[in-house]
Amino acid sequence: MVFEECKEIFSTHFPFWEHLSEEEQKTLCLNTLNSSFKKGEHIHSGDTDCNGVMTLKSGHLRVFLLSDEGREITLYRMYPGDMCTLSAACVLNNIEFDVFIDAEEDSELLIINSKYFDTLLNENIYVENFTYKLLTKRFSDVMWSMQQILFTSFDKRLARFLIDESENVNNDKIKITHEQIAKYMGSAREVVSRMLKYFENEGFVKLYRGGIQILDKQALEDLSI
């Protein structure tokens, strides 16, 4: 990767950058790939991959768990500027569960080689601090997702999901299928469809092919509390 481009991006996103020697900075850039993935493409597949630390330049990724029966539970989603260390779990101590990462849109990533990142992690206290702070944040995201699944009723979760999606796209019309919502929420498509139909009957939303339009956002806000 071209050093000047690498420097511009990493100095913005990595607080440890200024604590690396010039040689370490250049070596880090040499061990970073600029990779592109198409919508729907698998980026990371559990314990079969150890891609490295990812920084999302453009697009949208989904990080999820996959059960033996094929059920998916979304842990969190990544947007431009977000970073993921779980894709380099093979070099992190005490990370004993496998995550999967898919591209939700055409996406461009910077991926730091896991072996070189492991070297930095062991040799530089600033890299170590950054990594474990990022892991703490991500585990907070994971725990919030698990709490929602275990302790919050599905109607409240779905209402909150629709509000959040609407805010993400800055539009009351959300282009999303019932199957996609089921994947994001760790539920069954049939359950999603029944609850969306209930929301439609109540006048909260309007369903159309390939999407959902929010008609009464305040009602969804009240329900999600």
Side-chain angles (χ1 to χ4, degrees):
M1 183 178 183
V2 177
F3 179 69
E4 289 305 317
E5 180 187 2
C6 175
K7 179 180 179 180
E8 180 180 354
I9 295 171
F10 284 177
S11 62
T12 300
H13 294 294
F14 291 163
F16 62 75
W17 177 262
E18 63 184 39
H19 299 288
L20 299 178
S21 67
E22 184 176 351
E23 182 180 351
E24 287 175 326
Q25 291 176 353
K26 290 181 178 179
T27 305
L28 175 60
C29 291
L30 288 173
N31 280 276
T32 300
L33 294 178
N34 197 334
S35 302
S36 298
F37 297 89
K38 296 294 185 181
K39 179 179 179 180
E41 191 172 352
H42 294 299
I43 297 173
H44 181 79
S45 301
D47 62 359
T48 62
D49 291 335
C50 190
N51 306 71
V53 176
M54 298 179 178
T55 301
L56 184 58
K57 293 177 65 178
S58 64
H60 176 195
L61 308 182
R62 181 171 70 101
V63 182
F64 61 98
L65 297 177
L66 181 64
S67 73
D68 292 338
E69 296 76 26
R71 181 185 177 191
E72 297 179 6
I73 298 178
T74 299
L75 299 179
Y76 55 87
R77 295 155 79 184
M78 293 177 58
Y79 299 93
D82 286 346
M83 288 164 281
C84 182
T85 53
L86 293 179
S87 53
C90 59
V91 300
L92 300 174
N93 293 328
N94 301 318
I95 303 297
E96 297 181 355
F97 64 90
D98 300 324
V99 299
F100 297 77
I101 303 175
D102 283 356
E104 294 287 278
E105 301 174 356
D106 291 352
S107 301
E108 188 176 1
L109 305 166
L110 295 179
I111 305 178
I112 302 173
N113 177 274
S114 56
K115 289 184 178 179
Y116 182 70
F117 190 79
D118 185 37
T119 299
L120 280 180
L121 187 67
N122 291 315
E123 295 180 353
N124 190 302
I125 188 64
Y126 296 100
V127 177
E128 183 181 43
N129 286 343
F130 167 80
T131 301
Y132 286 105
K133 282 183 180 179
L134 184 57
L135 280 173
T136 299
K137 180 184 182 302
R138 285 310 183 192
F139 274 112
S140 178
D141 295 337
V142 170
M143 291 304 296
W144 185 88
S145 297
M146 295 299 102
Q147 183 182 40
Q148 293 296 302
I149 292 171
L150 293 172
F151 303 121
T152 304
S153 62
F154 187 73
D155 58 342
K156 293 180 182 292
R157 290 174 55 212
L158 182 57
R160 174 47 55 191
F161 175 85
L162 294 175
I163 293 168
D164 290 345
E165 286 300 297
S166 173
E167 292 176 350
N168 284 338
V169 299
N170 196 29
N171 198 317
D172 286 338
K173 286 189 174 182
I174 309 166
K175 294 182 179 180
I176 194 170
T177 67
H178 297 193
E179 183 67 32
Q180 286 175 308
I181 295 175
K183 285 184 177 182
Y184 290 147
M185 301 188 66
S187 185
R189 184 188 59 78
E190 294 78 8
V191 175
V192 172
S193 296
R194 283 198 298 269
M195 189 58 68
L196 285 174
K197 190 62 179 177
Y198 168 74
F199 283 2
E200 184 176 49
N201 291 338
E202 292 295 310
F204 300 164
V205 303
K206 177 182 179 181
L207 305 180
Y208 62 92
R209 186 175 181 84
I212 300 162
Q213 181 179 2
I214 295 178
L215 301 178
D216 193 339
K217 188 173 183 178
Q218 187 57 53
L220 292 177
E221 289 277 9
D222 294 341
L223 178 59
S224 69
I225 298 174

